[in-house]
Amino acid sequence: YWLGKLGGVLKVPRKTHAQKDAAAAEAFQQTLCAQLASLNVAGGRPVRLWVADEHRYGLIPVVRKCWTLRGVRPTVPYRTKYEWAYLYSALEVDGQNAAEFLCLPEVSLEMSGLFLEHLAASDPAAEHVVIWDQAGFHPKPKMHAVPERVHLVSLPPYSPELNPTEAIGDVIKDRIGNVLWQTLDDLEQAIGEELRPLCENAESVRRLVSHPWLVEQVNATATKNSAITYSKWYEAIKLELQNKERALADLSVELAILRKKTNGGSWDR
């Protein structure tokens, strides 16, 4: 009662792995800017920064909280059916705040490579920087082939809270929870419908990825002298050049009119 009066809220704590290095997680938040700036990214091209993760879904029902009358214990249908697949997700930090998703039958080096190729193909004119965890099925630049124009940054071990894409798990569970799905196709269709707003509304993505430390580090890197030119800078400079071109065109028209009037020896009053 008194904790509530003081502004406290009752929450289920998040599990933290016993082997997590809190100092390493804190250091990552402070040094991401330096890691991004040190990447060997080709100059003169826009760079898009993504955070990526995977989530398993399947035909074993997900039980979620639901509304009910006081004193009534709700029930949901349940069965054990071992059939599942994985959703690869990537959310863009800053820039266009885009979202890319791909349903694949398993998590493996091959499937992760396919997703990175899918991500690179989403914007062939750009370089793509992907931040994700150190799962064994994620390619390592010095050990495995990585698609062209893709650059990888690894999160510290056991630090899922640093990855905003973790929130996608709750998004899809809220949609598929408490329902007995008959096939993976039906399940994937429902997941796709739930994720469509993220693909169509950049503001929805921005709300998910706007962890203060992450936005701060990205903005610190995205300077005009940086080795990485982020999309927002690229677009800003392009817009600035377009505005200058329009201004020059308008000035040329005005000069032509003035020259014509001057040569004609008369001025409109």
Side-chain angles (χ1 to χ4, degrees), residues 224 229-243:
K224 293 182 180 179
T229 305
Y230 284 94
S231 297
K232 69 171 191 175
W233 285 106
Y234 175 78
E235 296 296 336
I237 293 173
K238 184 169 70 174
L239 180 61
E240 182 181 354
L241 289 174
Q242 290 174 346
N243 290 336

Side-chain angles (χ1 to χ4, degrees), residues 84-133:
W84 56 79
Y86 292 83
L87 174 70
Y88 277 76
S89 309
L91 303 177
E92 186 179 12
V93 183
D94 220 351
Q96 301 177 32
N97 286 133
E100 293 290 338
F101 302 101
L102 190 62
C103 291
L104 293 171
E106 63 181 13
V107 286
S108 63
L109 287 171
E110 181 182 2
M111 296 297 105
S112 296
L114 285 176
F115 180 66
L116 293 177
E117 291 175 0
H118 168 80
L119 202 58
S122 68
D123 187 352
E127 301 284 329
H128 299 266
V129 177
V130 180
I131 301 175
W132 58 5
D133 60 37

Side-chain angles (χ1 to χ4, degrees), residues 175-248:
R175 171 64 181 88
I176 68 177
N178 300 338
V179 177
L180 194 63
W181 299 96
Q182 299 302 319
T183 67
L184 282 180
D185 288 341
D186 293 339
L187 185 55
E188 288 170 354
Q189 182 176 351
I191 291 173
E193 293 171 355
E194 187 67 17
L195 295 177
R196 185 174 294 114
L198 290 174
C199 298
E200 299 175 347
N201 186 354
E203 179 61 22
S204 299
V205 176
R206 189 194 65 79
R207 287 196 295 267
L208 287 178
V209 301
S210 291
H211 290 195
W213 71 268
L214 181 57
V215 175
E216 178 183 350
Q217 289 290 304
V218 171
N219 287 336
T221 311
T223 61
K224 293 182 180 179
N225 295 325
S226 173
I228 293 182
T229 305
Y230 284 94
S231 297
K232 69 171 191 175
W233 285 106
Y234 175 78
E235 296 296 336
I237 293 173
K238 184 169 70 174
L239 180 61
E240 182 181 354
L241 289 174
Q242 290 174 346
N243 290 336
K244 288 181 178 180
E245 288 175 355
R246 293 193 192 98
L248 287 173

Side-chain angles (χ1 to χ4, degrees), residues 38 65 109 137 179 192 227 237 249 259:
S38 67
K65 290 182 178 179
L109 287 171
F137 49 82
V179 177
I237 293 173
R259 188 179 297 110

